[in-house]
Amino acid sequence: MADAAAKPAAEKGGGDPEMKGWLLKWTNYIKGYQRRWFVLSKGVLSYYRNQSEINHTCRGTISLHGALIHTVDSCTFVISNGGTQTFHIKAANEVERQSWVTSLELAKVKAIRAIESEEEEEEETAQVVPSQEINTVVRDLTERLENMRTCYDLITKHGAALQRALNDLESNEEESLASRTKIVNERATLFRITSNAMINAGNDYLRSAESQGHKWSKMLHHEREQRQRLEEIIEQMAKQQSQMEQAAVFVRRNKPLPMSSSSTMVCMNPGAPGTNLTSDDETEFYDAEEYGYDRTGDSPIDSTFILKLNKRRSSSEDQVGSEGHTGSSSESDEQKRTIQTVQQVCLISAARVASGDDEDNGTDKVDEGSKCDTRKSRPSASASKKGVSGNRRTRVPDKPNHSVSLWSIMKNCIGKDLSKIPMPINFNEPLSMLQRLAEDYEYSEVLDHAATLTDESEQLAYLAAFAVSTYATTAVRTGKPFNPLLGETFECDRMDDLGFRYLAEQVSHHPPIAALHCEGKQWVCWQEFSMTSKFRGKYLQVNPLGGAYILFPKSGHRYSWRKVTTTVNNIIVGKIWVDQHGTMEIIGTNAAHGNKCILNYKPYSYFSREVQRSVKGVVINRNNETKWVVRGTWDDKIEIAPVLETSGTSENPTYTTGEYKVAWQCRPPPADSEKYYNFTTLACQLNEPEDGVAPTDSRNRPDQRLMEEGNWEESNKEKVRLEDKQRTARRSRETEAESAASEGRPYPVYEPMWFKREKEEGSDEFVHVSKNTYWKAKASQNWSGCPDIY
């Protein structure tokens, strides 16, 4: 255990809490706790192997402004920044643990306040017209300078008078000595008063000049960064224009683009070198001799494709409890020990092998009767009932045509996390993020079908198709959902017609985290959704955090996965388009332990002959055998096929597959959906007013309702009011927490209404799970514990 108890450093003038001491930290490479020296300073928790490393070797840090702090037991607590980094820490005793947790919570509060004050200062600085600000500052400094000149004149005058009085005092007329001494004292007093006034005026001038100088320095730094980023954007646009012109020249001359040989095919793994979509460096693309599946036809062009898979060294590393899988951090030098091998898989359809034509382009025959057409698998949503009676709506009011200066707003957001920046509703769609996440279950019939399957590998293939279906509408949905308020909820009870009911709650504001729980008749799914987003001028990149979990109670099969990266391109210039890219691993646990599916979302490339928005993957069983092949596009459909035969080497196996069948098919959007934010029918029904829901439900948000009705000006005012109300409530909680900490009482951490944070089964992660109390409260209409957020 710890050798020395951690003791808080002295705090002066309300400074940031500081802590230093020995604690035990869980490290993944030895699967146990190791003694480490921790330092809490300026809102950052850092750890080292020992005290001597403080000045040169930091082993890991977590910024507390967006961290979650959770107490596990009397001595253990966990700090996480939303999924990418987690510290599991054990103190010597309960008193030491409470001391650390209290200091960490206080440091988090101060870090949040510091960031908000900086953002407010930047916002105020950006809103001031430079010429007006200069005139104001010059006028203020001129007035202070005039005060100093006046003081200087008075000092000169009274100094001369004092000097004359001193000269008269040296005369030999003794009869007037007392009167002359009195005069000297009076002159000296006036000189001292004037000198003090001069000193004060000088201090005022110095403080004013320093404060304005700091502000001007920040403005200059900000403008310099903006200029550099604009130069980079223009450079990238010039490169892309040059590439497009070269491609146009090739087309006009009827010459093909340069083709690479089969031995230099493009790596499909987005994490591989040379395939970074968002890199600002010039990337050279080559055509690969591989073909995807034809989106316009019913049969594939060619069923052969190359897929690079990350292969773990041993089955023991597939344990969900692995700290590397859960996002837990360990020493940087220990992370370099992770070894991954790459397995190349070549998939050849049975139809092509049977024909004996292994070199010519063939086509696979798809059994139309084997297709799972999701468009006909359940009743129309427009015919479903809302509440007790009444048909649900099929559209929302058309989007008003309000002009907005995009660049005037977005230029100050470059390099920042957009989830933390107040944006006007001109960029929004009239749905909360909690409602947008409910659209993940629009194709829940795929899960219904998967729950009925006895073949666990086929079940996993259908689950993979469902995971891909959650991106079906993202290709055309470029509007930003409303950021949920802390304590905001949303329910979607469609058990009667769609076969599921859904509940979501915003459980954290720093960092923003939404907890979800959805249950069908034969499956239960829960998620914890958070994200980080960065605007780079040319594109916006969204990196989802948190995991998704599903359980099929009948078979006991349980799976988990994480979403891939989303990039929104051409934010400033050109037509906006969305791309999904990355590798998604669906890992089986419990009765499905050892099974996994690896899906590769291919990034878009101007010069690739690969079908855009394509997804390819394989299902591998617990014996490390590939059983199913998955292919398709994330905006159209997914096909799956069983693997009939395996040949080739272990490093380069060849699989012979059976006939493909459609596991998921995207429903066509309404004909005029572009007029109302490209909403699907289900999306139109999510914000439909409904009686009996919680007062915190997203459908009760006044700013969102006003936007849907077309009153954008009033909606912006309501949005500002709600954000100010939320900020005031949070600061009130922080003040109470600081008071409790100063009195030695436990820190009152915010608790969600319908979810609780628990350790995930078979993992070191902590996830918000449902308390299973919402639907009972709705049945009795008991909303007494709901906060007033609107």
Side-chain angles (χ1 to χ4, degrees):
M1 198 55 68
D3 292 350
K7 297 181 180 180
E11 297 182 17
K12 299 180 180 180
D16 292 337
E18 294 186 355
M19 295 281 286
K20 296 180 181 179
W22 292 103
L23 291 170
L24 296 182
K25 179 190 177 294
W26 177 272
T27 56
N28 185 50
Y29 72 103
I30 63 167
K31 303 293 183 182
Y33 284 97
Q34 288 291 298
R35 182 171 168 267
R36 295 290 182 262
W37 179 258
F38 280 83
V39 176
L40 169 61
S41 179
K42 298 181 180 180
V44 177
L45 180 66
S46 308
Y47 75 93
Y48 310 83
R49 286 186 184 272
N50 49 62
Q51 292 175 262
S52 62
E53 288 189 349
I54 291 180
N55 296 325
H56 57 84
T57 308
C58 179
R59 300 291 172 172
T61 61
I62 282 187
S63 297
L64 297 179
H65 72 272
L68 291 173
I69 304 170
H70 178 74
T71 299
V72 180
D73 53 37
S74 60
C75 296
T76 308
F77 59 97
V78 177
I79 307 174
S80 174
N81 62 355
T84 59
Q85 200 172 32
T86 302
F87 290 173
H88 299 263
I89 302 174
K90 180 178 289 187
N93 49 60
E94 185 174 0
V95 175
E96 184 180 345
R97 188 265 304 162
Q98 184 59 46
S99 177
W100 273 99
V101 171
T102 301
S103 296
L104 290 170
E105 292 285 2
L106 290 176
K108 176 181 177 180
V109 169
K110 292 183 178 297
I112 293 173
R113 288 181 178 177
I115 291 177
E116 288 184 347
S117 63
E118 291 179 0
E119 291 176 350
E120 290 174 358
E121 182 178 351
E122 289 180 0
E123 185 177 356
E124 293 174 358
T125 302
Q127 292 175 353
V128 175
V129 179
S131 59
Q132 295 178 351
E133 183 177 8
I134 291 174
N135 292 334
T136 302
V137 172
V138 170
R139 184 166 54 251
D140 178 68
L141 293 178
T142 301
E143 292 176 356
R144 298 181 187 279
L145 184 60
E146 287 298 326
N147 292 337
M148 294 177 65
R149 287 174 178 171
T150 302
C151 292
Y152 173 77
D153 293 339
L154 290 174
I155 287 176
T156 303
K157 175 182 177 181
H158 293 302
L162 177 60
Q163 185 64 39
R164 288 195 300 269
L166 291 173
N167 292 334
D168 293 341
L169 186 62
E170 294 177 354
S171 64
N172 297 324
E173 300 178 3
E174 298 180 357
E175 66 278 2
S176 61
L177 181 60
S179 61
R180 292 178 180 179
T181 303
K182 181 179 179 181
I183 292 174
V184 169
N185 290 334
E186 290 177 351
R187 299 292 185 233
T189 301
L190 290 174
F191 184 81
R192 185 176 64 253
I193 293 174
T194 309
S195 299
N196 290 335
M198 180 66 173
I199 293 172
N200 292 334
N203 289 334
D204 290 342
Y205 184 88
L206 180 61
R207 283 194 297 268
S208 179
E210 286 180 344
S211 64
Q212 296 300 330
H214 174 69
K215 182 182 295 185
W216 287 353
S217 176
K218 292 187 67 174
M219 291 178 60
L220 181 62
H221 180 70
H222 176 74
E223 292 299 328
R224 185 182 295 111
E225 288 184 342
Q226 296 298 97
R227 179 179 177 179
Q228 291 177 351
R229 292 192 177 102
L230 284 174
E231 290 176 353
E232 292 174 358
I233 294 172
I234 294 174
E235 182 181 359
Q236 288 294 324
M237 292 176 62
K239 291 178 181 179
Q240 291 181 2
Q241 181 180 359
S242 176
Q243 292 175 348
M244 295 296 290
E245 290 176 352
Q246 293 177 7
V249 170
F250 278 117
V251 173
R252 286 195 300 268
R253 295 178 179 178
N254 295 322
K255 292 183 178 181
L257 292 172
M259 295 284 291
S260 65
S261 64
S262 59
S263 61
T264 58
M265 289 185 177
V266 176
C267 175
M268 295 178 58
N269 188 345
T275 58
N276 186 4
L277 178 65
T278 60
S279 173
D280 290 334
D281 299 329
E282 184 174 5
T283 303
E284 187 174 4
F285 297 93
Y286 298 95
D287 288 335
E289 293 183 356
E290 50 179 320
Y291 302 88
Y293 116 106
D294 187 6
R295 298 172 57 180
T296 60
D298 293 331
S299 62
I301 300 175
D302 192 340
S303 60
T304 301
F305 61 92
I306 301 298
L307 177 63
K308 293 234 175 179
L309 304 177
N310 290 331
K311 181 180 178 182
R312 300 182 184 271
R313 289 176 293 171
S314 62
S315 60
S316 62
E317 295 184 9
D318 288 331
Q319 296 288 341
V320 181
S322 170
E323 192 172 8
H325 175 68
T326 60
S328 301
S329 68
S330 63
E331 284 73 358
S332 58
D333 57 342
E334 293 157 2
Q335 291 176 345
K336 297 178 181 178
R337 302 177 186 177
T338 304
I339 299 176
Q340 290 185 339
T341 59
V342 179
Q343 179 184 12
Q344 188 180 45
V345 183
C346 181
L347 303 171
I348 304 179
S349 69
R352 181 172 178 181
V353 173
S355 64
D357 187 4
D358 290 341
E359 297 180 357
D360 298 333
N361 292 336
T363 58
D364 289 339
K365 297 181 180 180
V366 180
D367 184 5
E368 297 295 334
S370 64
K371 290 184 179 180
C372 176
D373 192 350
T374 58
R375 291 173 293 182
K376 301 178 181 179
S377 59
R378 59 179 55 195
S380 172
S382 61
S384 62
K385 299 296 180 180
K386 171 189 143 182
V388 178
S389 61
N391 293 329
R392 295 185 181 271
R393 66 186 185 183
T394 57
R395 61 166 296 155
V396 297
D398 289 350
K399 178 181 180 181
N401 185 18
H402 290 288
S403 60
V404 60
S405 177
L406 179 66
W407 178 242
S408 64
I409 298 172
M410 300 298 286
K411 66 179 181 179
N412 295 315
C413 303
I414 296 179
K416 297 182 180 179
D417 188 341
L418 293 188
S419 64
K420 300 177 182 178
I421 299 176
M423 300 286 289
I425 58 101
N426 304 62
F427 300 96
N428 285 21
E429 60 182 17
L431 286 179
S432 169
M433 177 60 78
L434 302 181
Q435 295 169 311
R436 183 68 179 267
L437 292 172
E439 296 185 58
D440 285 0
Y441 300 94
E442 179 164 358
Y443 297 95
S444 60
E445 65 268 16
V446 180
L447 293 179
D448 296 336
H449 180 71
T452 63
L453 299 175
T454 56
D455 185 342
E456 56 185 17
S457 296
E458 184 179 6
Q459 182 184 72
L460 181 52
Y462 273 93
L463 177 58
F466 168 78
V468 175
S469 74
T470 60
Y471 298 102
T473 62
T474 59
V476 293
R477 293 277 290 282
T478 56
K480 175 181 176 294
F482 280 77
N483 292 332
L485 304 173
L486 183 63
E488 182 177 336
T489 61
F490 176 69
E491 66 153 88
C492 182
D493 190 355
R494 304 297 294 269
M495 189 65 76
D496 293 339
D497 58 337
L498 301 183
F500 70 87
R501 64 179 185 181
Y502 165 95
L503 173 66
E505 180 181 3
Q506 188 74 4
V507 297
S508 174
H509 184 62
H510 287 284
I513 297 177
L516 291 68
H517 183 88
C518 188
E519 54 190 36
K521 296 179 180 179
Q522 300 184 68
W523 51 269
V524 179
C525 187
W526 61 101
Q527 297 185 44
E528 188 174 271
F529 180 82
S530 182
M531 68 177 187
T532 60
S533 59
K534 290 294 182 181
F535 176 55
R536 300 301 186 187
K538 186 178 65 173
Y539 61 87
L540 166 67
Q541 189 171 71
V542 178
N543 297 304
L545 305 175
Y549 307 86
I550 190 169
L551 173 66
F552 296 102
K554 182 178 179 181
S555 61
H557 294 163
R558 183 177 175 277
Y559 301 94
S560 64
W561 68 95
R562 295 179 183 273
K563 292 179 176 289
V564 296
T565 300
T566 299
T567 300
V568 184
N569 298 275
N570 292 345
I571 297 293
I572 302 301
V573 180
K575 183 178 179 180
I576 295 178
W577 57 277
V578 181
D579 193 25
Q580 315 290 343
H581 51 94
T583 301
M584 175 186 291
E585 289 193 27
I586 306 177
I587 307 296
T589 56
N590 288 4
H593 175 71
N595 296 324
K596 62 181 177 180
C597 175
I598 303 177
L599 295 174
N600 195 328
Y601 293 72
K602 287 186 62 66
Y604 176 83
S605 171
Y606 283 114
F607 306 110
S608 173
R609 295 180 61 183
E610 183 73 27
V611 174
Q612 303 302 334
R613 301 170 181 168
S614 65
V615 181
K616 296 181 179 180
V618 290
V619 175
I620 303 173
N621 66 6
R622 56 177 55 88
N623 297 323
N624 203 30
E625 300 172 341
T626 301
K627 305 300 292 184
W628 286 79
V629 172
V630 181
R631 72 177 187 184
T633 57
W634 50 262
D635 66 331
D636 187 10
K637 66 179 178 179
I638 289 294
E639 294 180 325
I640 60 175
V643 175
L644 303 180
E645 184 181 352
T646 302
S647 59
T649 64
S650 58
E651 292 77 14
N652 188 17
T654 301
Y655 300 111
T656 302
T657 68
E659 294 183 344
Y660 284 85
K661 58 182 177 180
V662 177
W664 162 72
Q665 175 75 60
C666 180
R667 299 182 189 69
D672 56 349
S673 61
E674 68 278 358
K675 297 180 180 179
Y676 47 92
Y677 313 95
N678 288 302
F679 278 3
T680 62
T681 302
L682 176 62
C684 293
Q685 298 165 356
L686 293 177
N687 201 44
E688 188 174 8
E690 186 171 333
D691 298 331
V693 299
T696 54
D697 196 274
S698 299
R699 281 165 285 206
N700 296 325
R701 283 191 65 155
D703 55 344
Q704 190 171 292
R705 183 64 59 192
L706 287 169
M707 182 190 181
E708 181 184 288
E709 295 170 353
N711 300 321
W712 282 22
E713 184 175 351
E714 292 80 0
S715 176
N716 268 318
K717 295 179 181 178
E718 276 297 301
K719 183 174 181 289
V720 173
R721 182 186 68 82
L722 292 177
E723 290 171 350
D724 289 341
K725 182 175 182 179
Q726 178 178 236
R727 192 176 297 111
T728 301
R730 180 178 57 79
R731 288 175 177 171
S732 177
R733 288 194 305 270
E734 292 172 354
T735 301
E736 295 176 1
E738 289 179 344
S739 176
S742 63
E743 297 173 3
R745 294 185 284 111
Y747 190 91
V749 181
Y750 173 82
E751 293 291 340
M753 183 70 184
W754 309 110
F755 288 80
K756 58 183 177 180
R757 199 159 186 257
E758 292 184 348
K759 187 175 181 180
E760 189 63 27
E761 180 182 354
S763 169
D764 290 332
E765 287 188 344
F766 285 85
V767 181
H768 285 89
V769 297
S770 174
K771 296 179 181 178
N772 296 319
T773 57
Y774 179 85
W775 302 109
K776 295 179 182 177
K778 181 182 180 181
S780 61
Q781 286 297 294
N782 180 15
W783 308 115
S784 57
C786 293
D788 178 19
I789 60 175
Y790 299 142

